[in-house]
Amino acid sequence: MKIEQIYTGCLAQGAYYIESEGEAAIIDPLRETAPYIDRAEKGEAKIKYVFETHFHADFVSGHVDLAEKTGATIVFGPNAKTTYDIYQAEDNEEFKIGKLTIKALHTPGHTLESTTYLLIDEDGNNKALFTGDTLFLGDVGRPDLAIKQDVTKEDLAAMLFDSLRNKIMPLEDHIIVYPAHGAGSACGKNLSKETVDTLGNQKKTNYALRSDMTKEEFIEEVLDGIMPPPQYFSKNALLNKEGYETFETVLKKGNAPLTPDEFEAIANQEGALVLDVRNQDEFLNEHIPNSIFIGLNGSFAPWVGALIKDLKQPILLVVPDGKSTEAVTRLSRVGYDNTLGYLEGGLENWKKAGKETDTIQSITADAFENEYNNTIEILDVRKPGEFEAEHLQTADSFPLDFINDNMGQLDKTEKYYIHCAGGYRSAIAASILRARGYKDLVDIKGGFGALKNTQIPKTNFACPNS
């Protein structure tokens, strides 16, 4: 028996490879299929099943492509309706992988079709639980993503309470829990940085599994403090229900080198967004006018999904040398399949062709301290919980998550100093504001982490709720 967690840090996502006696199953694969096919070939195994725990909202699963390439059967739990062929498992139905058994446990709550998969060894012992977004380490899946006219988030939270108490908590403490996500995912609010644990430890430490908790208390606590879901979640869920272009088609189209003249012509003809994925310091120092920065060195795909509203938006890339394939791949993982190419030779080639560049001022926290007074405009673009925990006394909360909705509150004639926690999000915010006509912007290097070491007045620290 082999169980491997294939974890992708930038999405905080765990896919799983299970193998026994020359047969394999994949649980919740990412968009690109090569890692799973290569792993099966290495083990001389045939992929028999692709198990999906639910319709994922935070990434596009590779289940459709993987099934087409390998002949594997796609398995969803009850209530899953798709436009492509699947096998819809019944509650408690069992599937054989070599000498192993995988039992489908219908655990609605995160979504109506959410299903947890229990792995049973050849001797009939329960060994592992692949919980999807039903149970995380330290948390449970948010119940506000699959709301329908006749189903509320409170209804789903109540279903989740029952699923946990009736299907998961009665299982043995030694069972290993393999969730679909860890810290950094927007599918929950309090996820652990760990990616594997025992069910027994979760019963002791996970607030949502308290044995003395009433259903009403559970509903209140699970729903408390949840940020609104990123706008791309519902769109990714729809792609996972209806299917998508093959990854190879997307990669071939997007990973195309373009000369500066070709790049500029396509940008004008297609109304393409120029997305600069270099380091934030490089971007702030010099970039193509009106380009948007979202760097590969941070939570790239989730921020793209949160900030670029149209999945079909034509995109042109400015990338570090050798990073074009990575950029196109990571865009496709969250459904942005309309990349049209990248600037060959990068910004240096752009400048050699005589094209214009722009810059955004960036200063250190110490330099900002020298400029600081009570009347300057400071935009803190961290999340509301971060701001509430501690902030500069005269700063305004202006979360990057909602910048597209709140931009109209700003005055294009004002000067704004912008900071986040470390410098990544403030550069994104500054790039978006600059592209929308806000000219007098100053980024603060190192963000609040650096500002804490200055004498600028701050609020007293308050432990955040989540």
Side-chain angles (χ1 to χ4, degrees):
M1 176 176 68
K2 294 180 181 177
I3 303 173
E4 293 184 18
Q5 183 183 68
I6 303 172
Y7 199 79
T8 304
C10 63
L11 285 174
Q13 190 270 345
Y16 296 92
Y17 175 86
I18 304 164
E19 180 191 313
S20 173
E21 301 288 306
E23 293 184 334
I26 310 295
I27 298 179
D28 293 340
L30 281 184
R31 182 75 177 272
E32 63 274 25
T33 59
Y36 314 108
I37 293 173
D38 292 347
R39 181 61 190 84
E41 289 178 350
K42 179 182 176 182
E44 298 182 348
K46 177 178 174 56
I47 298 176
K48 186 177 181 181
Y49 295 110
V50 180
F51 291 100
E52 290 286 297
T53 55
H54 64 294
F55 292 122
H56 304 283
D58 58 313
F59 69 95
V60 179
S61 177
H63 56 310
V64 176
D65 277 355
L66 192 55
E68 186 172 327
K69 290 179 179 179
T70 65
T73 298
I74 300 171
V75 179
F76 276 92
N79 299 327
K81 296 179 181 179
T82 64
T83 59
Y84 49 85
D85 290 338
I86 65 167
Y87 183 87
Q88 190 170 102
E90 295 181 3
D91 190 24
N92 293 314
E93 186 169 356
E94 296 182 350
F95 301 83
K96 291 292 184 181
I97 305 293
K99 292 183 177 180
L100 305 177
T101 301
I102 294 180
K103 180 187 283 190
L105 304 177
H106 187 212
T107 50
H110 175 63
T111 64
L112 292 171
E113 78 285 348
S114 285
T115 297
T116 295
Y117 295 102
L118 177 64
L119 180 66
I120 305 168
D121 69 14
E122 59 185 289
D123 297 319
N125 301 309
N126 296 333
K127 301 296 289 186
L129 197 62
F130 301 90
T131 55
D133 288 20
T134 296
L135 174 64
F136 297 128
L137 306 188
D139 202 359
V140 291
R142 58 190 299 165
D144 64 332
L145 300 183
I147 298 169
K148 298 184 177 181
Q149 279 189 328
D150 56 342
V151 180
T152 67
K153 59 186 178 182
E154 288 80 11
D155 293 333
L156 285 164
M159 292 180 199
L160 184 56
F161 177 88
D162 291 336
S163 292
L164 293 167
R165 267 73 188 165
N166 298 332
K167 296 292 184 68
I168 291 179
M169 291 176 67
L171 295 170
E172 303 96 321
D173 288 355
H174 71 264
I175 290 174
I176 299 171
V177 176
Y178 291 108
H181 295 292
S185 170
C187 293
K189 61 183 178 181
N190 194 40
L191 282 69
S192 169
K193 292 181 180 179
E194 302 300 320
T195 62
V196 178
D197 198 5
T198 63
L199 182 57
N201 194 51
Q202 283 303 297
K203 290 177 186 178
K204 294 177 183 177
T205 61
N206 191 319
Y207 78 96
L209 302 187
R210 296 200 312 268
S211 59
D212 61 347
M213 187 182 237
T214 67
K215 183 178 290 189
E216 290 72 23
E217 289 171 337
F218 177 89
I219 293 170
E220 182 178 353
E221 290 191 39
V222 165
L223 294 177
D224 181 48
I226 295 179
M227 289 266 290
Q231 62 86 30
Y232 74 106
F233 269 28
S234 59
K235 299 169 185 176
N236 275 199
L238 189 62
L239 284 174
N240 284 320
K241 291 179 184 180
E242 296 184 351
Y244 41 74
E245 275 193 290
T246 66
F247 172 70
E248 286 74 17
T249 300
V250 173
L251 184 60
K252 183 178 180 180
K253 179 177 67 175
N255 197 26
L258 302 170
T259 67
D261 286 342
E262 291 171 333
F263 190 93
E264 187 173 43
I266 292 174
N268 292 330
Q269 292 166 9
E270 301 293 335
L273 171 70
V274 177
L275 183 61
D276 193 322
V277 304
R278 299 174 297 151
N279 176 273
Q280 60 259 34
D281 293 333
E282 294 175 309
F283 174 86
L284 292 166
N285 183 58
E286 194 169 25
H287 56 266
I288 294 174
N290 297 318
S291 58
I292 300 299
F293 164 77
I294 305 178
L296 286 174
N297 62 333
S299 297
F300 173 69
W303 280 119
V304 167
L307 298 170
I308 302 175
K309 292 193 173 181
D310 185 2
L311 293 189
K312 296 180 180 179
Q313 168 68 49
I315 293 173
L316 290 169
L317 294 169
V318 179
V319 298
D321 187 43
K323 291 289 187 177
S324 59
T325 298
E326 179 184 344
V328 176
T329 298
R330 290 172 68 177
L331 285 168
S332 75
R333 287 175 181 166
V334 284
Y336 292 83
D337 289 353
N338 201 15
T339 304
L340 303 179
Y342 67 93
L343 180 61
E344 188 173 22
L347 202 64
E348 288 306 310
N349 228 15
W350 180 264
K351 291 192 292 183
K352 286 178 183 177
K355 310 287 187 185
E356 290 184 10
T357 61
D358 198 0
T359 187
I360 295 174
Q361 185 182 1
S362 184
I363 62 174
T364 65
D366 290 338
F368 175 67
E369 185 175 19
N370 293 331
E371 295 185 21
Y372 175 81
N373 62 62
N374 288 333
T375 64
I376 64 175
E377 296 280 354
I378 306 167
L379 302 179
D380 184 334
V381 301
R382 296 176 299 160
K383 293 182 181 295
E386 295 173 277
F387 181 84
E388 291 164 8
E390 189 179 13
H391 60 267
L392 302 183
Q393 285 185 1
T394 57
D396 291 320
S397 179
F398 193 74
L400 176 60
D401 306 70
F402 314 121
I403 191 170
N404 290 315
D405 298 325
N406 297 336
M407 204 178 308
Q409 300 173 9
L410 303 183
D411 184 347
K412 290 185 178 179
T413 66
E414 286 282 352
K415 181 175 186 176
Y416 293 100
Y417 292 81
I418 307 170
H419 79 83
C420 59
Y424 179 80
R425 286 175 286 176
S426 61
I428 298 174
S431 75
I432 293 171
L433 291 173
R434 174 58 62 86
R436 298 287 183 87
Y438 296 84
K439 298 299 183 184
D440 205 352
L441 307 171
V442 182
D443 173 80
I444 303 174
K445 292 178 183 287
F448 196 72
L451 289 167
K452 288 205 311 191
N453 298 320
T454 68
Q455 297 303 310
I456 300 170
K458 305 166 194 72
T459 61
N460 293 325
F461 178 79
C463 186
N465 291 326
S466 60

